[in-house]
């Protein structure tokens, strides 16, 4: 039974999404192989945050990530540029999809952190500013590490990686500008009205979609925590009184 099934199978290929080849004698190569797989985690994070928070920003960022991937798919089939000699990767090489993916993600997130989000204050302006810089550097380092991993593991040329990352940066900035920055600065503009419709239409209302950063500088995180803490404390008081009776 298995023999006849094998005989009828067509050509086999590898799913590059989760299959990475690296130098088994190099710990750096292993580390970069893990780094190059890390963007997969973002899709699960997007889905979890979208369902849990119902935040418009998260949903738009996620949708833009899909659009960015679709744009990469189109570009690869337009240019049809091969990968480097000796590369075992499948498909075309220009532009690097991993680099474009992380260019979009890091740019959109940094734009949001710079223009809208405000972290809780430590009471020291120096520490607050230092923390913001650390976050910016960490996000950028992650994106650039993924891009470099594609070169180190010989899946792309520097040219393919730089173009991919650059296209991702442009797409991330454009998506943030169109759906967040411009609607905030010019709420009566066509983009501002479009965002208002996307947030307040009957379907979004039924799904309880919200734009937390339009109301709170931290998206409502601190307020949510305070409400939880107040109820938690009341619940503990009630439990303690019941045990003492």
């Amino acid at each position: 039974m298995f023999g006849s099934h094998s005989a009828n199978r067509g050509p086999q290929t590898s799913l590059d999404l989760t299959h990475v080849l690296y130098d088994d004698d190099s710990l750096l190569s292993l580390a970069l192989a893990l780094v190059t797989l890390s963007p997969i985690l973002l899709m699960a994070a997007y889905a979890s945050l979208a369902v849990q928070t119902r935040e418009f920003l998260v949903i738009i960022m996620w949708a833009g990530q899909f659009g960015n991937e679709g744009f990469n798919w189109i570009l690869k089939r337009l240019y049809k540029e091969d990968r480097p000699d000796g590369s075992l990767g499948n498909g075309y090489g220009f532009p690097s999809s991993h680099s474009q993916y992380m260019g979009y993600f890091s740019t959109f997130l940094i734009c949001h952190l710079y223009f809208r989000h405000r972290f809780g204050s430590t009471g020291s302006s120096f520490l607050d500013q230092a923390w913001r810089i650390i976050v910016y550097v960490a996000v950028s380092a992650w994106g650039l590490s993924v891009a470099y991993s594609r070169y180190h593991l010989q899946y792309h040329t520097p040219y393919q990686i730089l173009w991919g990352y650059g296209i991702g940066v442009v797409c991330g900035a454009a998506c943030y500008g169109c759906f967040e920055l411009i609607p905030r600065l010019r709420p009566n503009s066509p983009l501002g009205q479009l965002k208002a419709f996307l947030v307040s239409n009957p379907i979004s209302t039924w799904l309880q979609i919200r734009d937390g950063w339009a109301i709170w500088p931290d998206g409502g995180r601190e307020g949510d925590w305070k409400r939880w803490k107040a109820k938690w404390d009341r619940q503990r008081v009630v439990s303690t009184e019941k045990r003492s009776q």
Side-chain angles (χ1 to χ4, degrees):
M1 180 177 67
F2 290 105
S4 61
H5 175 69
S6 300
N8 294 329
R9 288 191 302 180
Q12 302 296 292
T13 188
S14 169
L15 179 62
D16 277 350
L17 184 66
T18 56
H19 183 193
V20 180
L21 297 174
Y22 65 95
D23 183 357
D24 192 36
D25 293 328
S26 170
L27 290 177
L28 175 61
S29 185
L30 172 60
L32 290 174
L34 295 174
V35 167
T36 208
L37 289 172
S38 63
I40 299 173
L41 302 175
L42 287 177
M43 282 302 178
Y46 278 131
S48 299
L49 287 171
V51 172
Q52 177 64 27
T53 67
R54 313 294 176 91
E55 277 290 346
F56 176 79
L57 176 97
V58 175
I59 296 170
I60 278 297
M61 187 178 181
W62 190 18
Q65 193 82 71
F66 277 113
N68 182 59
E69 286 295 287
F71 186 40
N72 179 269
W73 186 89
I74 292 171
L75 289 175
K76 282 190 172 182
R77 280 147 187 81
L78 282 175
Y79 288 94
K80 298 182 178 180
E81 185 175 301
D82 292 333
R83 293 177 183 269
D85 294 338
S87 173
L88 297 178
N90 295 325
Y92 299 116
F94 179 88
S96 165
S97 59
H98 282 69
S99 302
Q100 187 172 327
Y101 187 106
M102 293 305 294
Y104 170 92
F105 168 78
S106 57
T107 300
F108 191 106
L109 183 56
I110 289 175
C111 283
H112 170 64
L113 295 175
Y114 180 81
F115 289 109
R116 295 300 295 272
H117 186 76
R118 293 297 175 265
F119 296 101
S121 177
T122 62
S124 167
S125 59
F126 173 78
L127 291 178
D128 291 345
Q129 188 64 23
W131 173 245
R132 294 184 68 83
I133 293 173
I134 289 172
V135 173
Y136 296 154
V137 171
V139 173
S140 300
W142 184 15
L144 293 172
S145 295
V146 172
Y148 174 74
S149 72
R150 305 308 289 173
Y151 168 74
H152 184 90
L153 298 173
Q154 301 181 356
Y155 279 90
H156 292 283
T157 65
Y159 169 81
Q160 295 169 346
I161 292 168
L162 290 174
W163 268 100
Y165 202 88
I167 293 170
V169 167
V170 171
C171 289
C175 185
Y176 185 84
C178 289
F179 290 98
E180 288 294 324
L181 186 59
I182 294 176
R184 180 172 70 89
L185 298 177
R186 299 180 179 275
N188 294 324
S189 67
L191 288 174
Q193 294 175 4
L194 173 62
K195 178 179 178 178
F197 169 77
L198 292 174
V199 173
S200 60
N201 69 77
I203 296 177
S204 295
T205 300
W206 180 71
L207 292 172
Q208 299 182 348
I209 305 299
R210 74 174 197 174
D211 184 11
W213 277 275
I215 309 299
W216 303 285
D218 65 347
R221 184 204 60 79
E222 184 177 1
D224 289 342
W225 183 85
K226 286 181 176 180
R227 286 193 295 272
W228 168 84
K229 188 67 167 62
K231 291 186 177 182
W232 173 260
D233 290 341
R234 287 196 299 269
Q235 182 178 335
R236 286 175 61 84
V237 169
V238 171
S239 299
T240 300
E241 290 176 349
K242 287 183 178 180
R243 286 196 300 267
S244 63
Q245 292 176 356

